[in-house]
Amino acid sequence: MIARRLPAAGRDLLGERFELDEGELGLDREELLRRVRGAAALVADPTVPVDAELLDAAGPTLRIAANFAVGYDNIDLDECRKRGVVVTNTPDVLTNATAELAVTLMLAAARRVGEAERVVRAGRWAGWDPAGLLGRELSGATVGIVGLGRIGTRVAELIQCFGPELLYTSRTTRSETIWAEWRLGLERVGLDELVARSDFVTLHVQLTLETRHLVDEELLARFKAGAVLVNTSRGEVVDEDALVSALTTGALRAAALDVFAREPPVGSPLLELPNVVLSPHIAGMTADSVRELTRQALTSVVDVLAGRAAVGVVNPDALAHPRQRGQE
Ligand code: GLV
């Protein structure tokens, strides 16, 4: 069962082997609950909550929930574990694409590209003005990277050439983190220090119970005056009401957001603020990354259903569940 829609290559890869039921971008939840019954595999994405209700609707035939994304906060891992449903994501295929968009948004906010474009389009540009729409440069600025996983590390690599001072926070100390710190000349600090010192703060954490509203009113009050916040992770990592206040009072100079607490953010006050650059959750979406995403997500389906080792298994415990051997 494809909860939403697959690129054609994915349809071919799965269609050669399995009977496919493919939903559509706006597939209604009730319809999905009805159509998922009896599926061996469910291909979901961040917009599809994979919870007890959906798992029960699928029934005991379901062996894999393959998320067509690197983030899997839409999936209730506990409920999948109980039922022996293997969950997969697509690590690394979106790393560069996401990091490039984070840098794009950072520069767009720094140089006020959104505001500038609106001025030109509206015919409000009266001519070259040395005092108009002054931005700031990354060169010499301090950039704080919250979360030094694959994407955070790639952001650090990409912005090296602008010459900022780079700070980061990380919950874990992995060898890759230490290596990146040394290789890229990063300074590890706590979150409070990072926001107090950074001119640009970019978020690269997973959404979990601990990171929900990580950027809240209290943390925003600690940000350096006039800082810019960039979010390409998940909307709920930021308390949007608190963000709107900080942007309205000018405590924050700007925000650049690819993700929102509710997507699409219809009616959000963020849409009315001039100092916000917005994009519609496209960070991971390039022609190359989506091709790889498709290949990886669907190869995991084929592998898990064939009982082979699969890439991107998030809950390896489930592989040992009797359901995986058809013994449930
Ligand atoms: C996109 O948001 C992803 O998690 O891959």
Side-chain angles (χ1 to χ4, degrees):
M1 176 77 219
I2 315 299
R4 297 179 85 225
R5 191 183 293 157
L6 278 186
R11 207 171 296 127
D12 294 347
L13 188 124
L14 286 188
E16 277 170 17
R17 297 165 172 82
F18 308 111
E19 191 184 319
L20 279 192
D21 183 1
E22 192 176 359
E24 71 232 31
L25 292 187
L27 184 69
D28 162 69
R29 172 87 178 172
E30 291 308 314
E31 175 93 1
L32 175 61
L33 290 173
R34 194 175 58 68
R35 280 165 56 177
V36 75
R37 172 115 229 116
L42 168 69
V43 179
D45 68 32
T47 69
V48 181
V50 179
D51 51 14
E53 182 187 40
L54 186 58
L55 295 166
D56 286 342
T61 48
L62 188 70
R63 289 177 51 200
I64 171 167
N67 221 31
F68 198 80
V70 67
Y72 48 87
D73 47 278
N74 56 307
I75 300 191
D76 190 328
L77 287 181
D78 221 33
E79 295 296 337
C80 289
R81 184 186 48 75
K82 283 189 211 154
R83 293 165 177 77
V85 174
V86 173
V87 175
T88 57
N89 74 338
T90 57
D92 222 13
V93 298
L94 310 176
T95 303
N96 187 63
T98 306
E100 283 190 7
L101 193 85
V103 176
T104 304
L105 291 178
M106 192 180 292
L107 288 167
R111 300 304 303 274
R112 305 173 64 178
V113 173
E115 285 172 82
E117 208 215 6
R118 287 191 293 276
V119 166
V120 179
R121 281 189 191 277
R124 284 188 282 112
W125 182 35
W128 189 72
D129 174 2
L133 287 167
L134 298 182
R136 73 157 302 167
E137 296 173 33
L138 285 191
S139 173
T142 300
V143 176
I145 299 173
V146 180
L148 200 73
R150 292 188 185 92
I151 297 171
T153 303
R154 185 67 185 140
V155 167
E157 287 170 357
L158 293 175
I159 58 177
Q160 283 274 299
C161 59
F162 292 97
E165 182 185 354
L166 287 171
L167 310 178
Y168 80 97
T169 62
S170 176
R171 272 180 315 123
T172 55
T173 305
R174 297 170 305 132
S175 52
E176 293 92 326
T177 319
I178 297 167
W179 171 236
E181 178 178 315
W182 181 80
R183 183 169 59 92
L184 301 166
L186 313 179
E187 184 185 349
R188 184 176 187 148
V189 292
L191 186 58
D192 285 354
E193 182 176 345
L194 180 137
V195 299
R197 286 175 55 193
S198 297
D199 301 294
F200 297 87
V201 174
T202 180
L203 305 176
H204 301 288
V205 293
Q206 287 186 340
L207 174 63
T208 61
L209 287 177
E210 290 79 48
T211 61
R212 186 173 180 279
H213 287 191
L214 180 72
V215 180
D216 60 4
E217 190 181 350
E218 206 184 313
L219 191 74
L220 283 164
R222 297 177 199 271
F223 271 56
K224 183 170 177 179
V228 172
L229 177 70
V230 180
N231 191 7
T232 52
S233 62
R234 284 290 183 267
E236 283 180 76
V237 173
V238 177
D239 175 346
E240 281 183 0
D241 292 338
L243 177 63
V244 169
S245 308
L247 288 164
T248 310
T249 60
L252 280 195
R253 174 194 297 254
L257 309 171
D258 185 51
V259 286
F260 305 88
R262 192 161 54 85
E263 296 181 1
V266 180
S268 165
L270 287 166
L271 308 192
E272 306 303 324
L273 297 176
N275 50 345
V276 182
V277 180
L278 305 157
S279 57
H281 202 148
I282 53 169
M285 305 288 109
T286 65
D288 288 339
S289 67
V290 168
R291 192 180 50 245
E292 275 308 291
L293 175 61
T294 306
R295 191 189 56 72
Q296 199 174 107
L298 304 187
T299 305
S300 299
V301 171
V302 174
D303 286 342
V304 168
L305 293 186
R308 286 193 294 264
V311 173
V313 175
V314 173
N315 58 347
D317 289 1
L319 290 165
H321 192 280
R323 183 182 288 204
Q324 295 298 327
R325 296 187 297 279
Q327 293 169 357
E328 198 188 51

